[in-house]
Structure formats: structure tokens, C-alpha cells
Amino acid sequence: MPANYQAEVVGVFGQPVAENPTGVMQEAGFASAGLNWRYLNFEVPPEKLGAAMDAVDALGMRGINLTIPHKVAVIEFLDELAPEARAIGAVNTVRVEGSKKIGENTDGKGFLRGVRNDAGVDPSGKRVVLLGAGGAARAIGTELVLAGISDLLVVNRSQGRGSTMVGDLKAATGGPVRFQQWSGTFAVPAECDLLVNATSIGLYPDVNAAPDVDLSSARAGTLVADAVFNPPETRLLAAARERGLPTLDGLSMLVYQGVIAFEMWTGQSPDEAAMKSALRNALGVD
Ligand code: NDP
């Protein structure tokens, strides 16, 4: 057999990207599948995003992840947008199909896969409270509505961002979405099945911060999930566990959004355990 030294290349465009650990996880998946693929972190300033997307074509790259500040700006450089990414209004993954660059969003899909696989909960018919209205909340909220939840209450500090998100989500999905402004302590309603923190409260280095929510009114069995993955054990999750409530950490979402991007790029199912353990190692989590 002739030698083939040509690797396939994917990666992430962002600024900053030096501390982004996704590549460690993807390369563990490639190695486990015996694929000669590389994942590289590219520092791309906003004014160079168009040129960087042209390079995806020129270099024959198989796909790319987008992170801050490019998730919305990249849309103008794409040929197509998946319906979910259009509804969310942001793209974190581009897959290349022939000569087309197609925008996808795997964040909410990753969250959902974690709810199903790691927490063992089917979101269909569930009543959900979602804290936050930024990019992560939009992705999670959109996929939850598309998965058939029966009620989504978006709770956000700023009225403007929260009501815009709810308006966009209703227009895109026609789903059962409501907004409540967050002031003071939010008492979790007894009928809530799933509480999700999609704010950045509790994110390193503010590890002692916790969303101002009262869990004492939550019913037994309410699943408490956090998008924050650094640290994986947030104060919110610790408080939920103390009350005996089931929890789902942000590492689950992070791993599965990468697993789904891997599937989109390679057409193969990755070794999830290898990806997860590489990520936990990289983040120093045992
Ligand atoms: P954004 O900056 O887009 O949104 C931040 C949200 O947090 C806003 O709703 C903001 O409210 C709210 N918020 C921030 N600080 C406070 C506070 N002190 N009190 C009340 N609300 C607050 O961030 P993202 O949506 O991109 O990210 C949110 C979190 O999700 C981050 O921790 C990020 O690391 C995590 N994430 C995790 C992923 C994973 O795979 N696990 C993937 C993507 C993100 P307001 O509108 O009022 O400002």
C-alpha cells in the first residue's frame, strides 16, 4: 500500500483560544478510531474571520469549531445554516459537505444528549426552568423546545436580553416559552422537572458564587443541571446534591457537543470514554 502522510485537519477559530481544551478531547477520539486527523487551535481576530473561513476552503479542511467572539459573525461566511443553528442564531460547528460550508450548533444538542444518556431523563413533556439568556441558554432552550418539553420558563437578570430570547425562540419554534425577570431569590416552582443554570455564575475564578435560587420548594426528583464546567462541581450542584436532588454537570454537555461535532465531521461514532477521560485529564478533574 502506498504511504499516505496527509492528515485531515479540523480545529477552532476564536480569540483567545490558548486554553480551549476541545482539541485534546477530539484528538483522543481520532487516535482511538485510528484516524489520521488533527485538531488545531487557531487564534483569529475578528477582522480576519473572513480570510480564515476562506482558508477552510483553500486548505481542504473538513470542518471548524467557532468560539468567542465568532459564533454569530461566522454566519455571513457560510453557504447554509442548519435549522437549529438558525433558530439559536449562532454557530459553534461548521461541517464541509462538498464545496459547501454548513453552520451547525452542537451546544444544545450536547446538553440534551447528556440529559438523556448521563441523567437518564427523557425531556419530552418536561417542565423546565432555564436561568440565563446568553448563547448557551439560547442553544439549550432551542433544543429543549424541539425535543418536546411542555413548558420553558426563561429567568434572566436583564429584561431586554431575556425577552428578546423568548421572542426569538417563540418565532422560530412556536414552542411554550415564557419569560420572568430575575430579581432577588428565585423560588424553584414545585412543578419544575428540570432546572438549568446557563448563566456564567460560578465559573472560575468566581467559584464561590451561586445563582440566587431557593431549592427548598423543588420537588424530589427535579434534575438540576449546570452549563458551567469549570469547576464541574459548582456550588449550585453541591447544594442540589445536599438536598438529594439528581444533578448533571457541565462536563457532560462539553463532551457531547464535541462527540456530535466528531460525528458530523467524520461520519463515525467516536470512543466517548476516551474523549471524556482526555478532557477530564486536561482539566485536572479526577
Ligand atoms: P453569555 O455571556 O452569552 O451569557 C451570560 C448569561 O449569564 C446572561 O444571561 C447573563 O445575564 C447571565 N449572568 C452573568 N452574570 C450574572 C449575574 N451575576 N447574575 C445574574 N445573571 C448573570 O455567556 P454564554 O451563554 O456563552 O455562557 C454561559 C455559561 O455557559 C458559561 O459559564 C460558559 O462557560 C458555559 N458554557 C458551557 C458549555 C458547555 O459545553 N458546558 C458550552 C457553552 C457555554 P444578563 O443577560 O442579565 O447579562
Side-chain angles (χ1 to χ4, degrees):
M1 201 166 65
N4 182 353
Y5 299 112
Q6 188 181 5
E8 301 289 354
V9 178
V10 291
V12 60
F13 294 161
Q15 189 181 47
V17 287
E19 291 182 14
N20 189 316
T22 303
V24 174
M25 165 171 77
Q26 294 293 1
E27 294 220 334
F30 298 148
S32 179
L35 293 172
N36 186 16
W37 285 52
R38 300 286 180 281
Y39 186 107
L40 300 173
N41 290 14
F42 295 99
E43 179 99 11
V44 176
E47 68 278 10
K48 295 280 175 61
L49 181 60
M53 292 307 291
D54 283 344
V56 169
D57 277 333
L59 300 176
M61 292 174 70
R62 300 294 289 268
I64 197 78
N65 281 142
L66 286 311
T67 187
I68 291 169
H70 302 317
K71 286 186 175 186
V72 176
V74 74
I75 291 173
E76 68 169 293
F77 303 110
L78 301 175
D79 301 294
E80 279 178 26
L81 213 45
E84 300 91 331
R86 185 181 304 281
I88 294 162
V91 165
N92 79 331
T93 301
V94 171
R95 61 187 172 86
V96 176
E97 211 178 273
S99 61
K100 283 186 182 160
K101 292 193 286 287
I102 301 166
E104 301 269 0
N105 197 311
T106 66
D107 281 337
K109 292 182 197 302
F111 175 78
L112 220 63
R113 201 177 285 192
V115 167
R116 290 189 171 116
N117 292 4
D118 292 351
V121 170
D122 175 1
S124 171
K126 297 291 187 290
R127 289 151 302 186
V128 180
V129 172
L130 178 59
L131 307 173
R138 292 181 78 100
I140 291 170
T142 302
E143 296 291 350
L144 282 169
V145 169
L146 294 175
I149 59 169
S150 62
D151 184 44
L152 179 68
L153 177 62
V154 175
V155 178
N156 195 53
R157 175 181 60 181
S158 94
Q159 160 91 32
R161 194 134 68 139
S163 52
T164 300
M165 170 180 156
V166 166
D168 289 350
L169 199 43
K170 268 191 186 158
T173 64
V177 194
R178 305 178 286 136
F179 173 63
Q180 180 176 326
Q181 190 169 10
W182 193 354
S183 58
T185 305
F186 175 80
V188 178
E191 64 273 16
C192 172
D193 300 304
L194 167 61
L195 171 72
V196 188
N197 175 39
T199 73
S200 42
I201 302 169
L203 181 63
Y204 179 86
D206 294 322
V207 297
N208 288 321
D212 189 4
V213 294
D214 179 4
L215 294 173
S216 65
S217 45
R219 64 166 179 78
T222 298
L223 174 63
V224 179
D226 211 322
V228 171
F229 61 84
N230 184 17
E233 171 81 353
T234 58
R235 277 201 43 211
L236 173 67
L237 295 189
R241 242 190 301 274
E242 252 170 46
R243 295 194 160 271
L245 300 175
T247 60
L248 180 67
D249 70 28
L251 278 181
S252 163
M253 174 176 171
L254 186 63
V255 169
Y256 286 119
Q257 63 78 29
V259 164
I260 294 166
F262 184 112
E263 291 167 351
M264 287 175 173
W265 291 331
T266 67
Q268 297 187 24
S269 299
D271 178 345
E272 291 176 7
M275 290 177 73
K276 192 172 190 170
S277 92
L279 185 72
R280 291 180 82 88
N281 260 341
L283 294 173
V285 184
D286 1 281

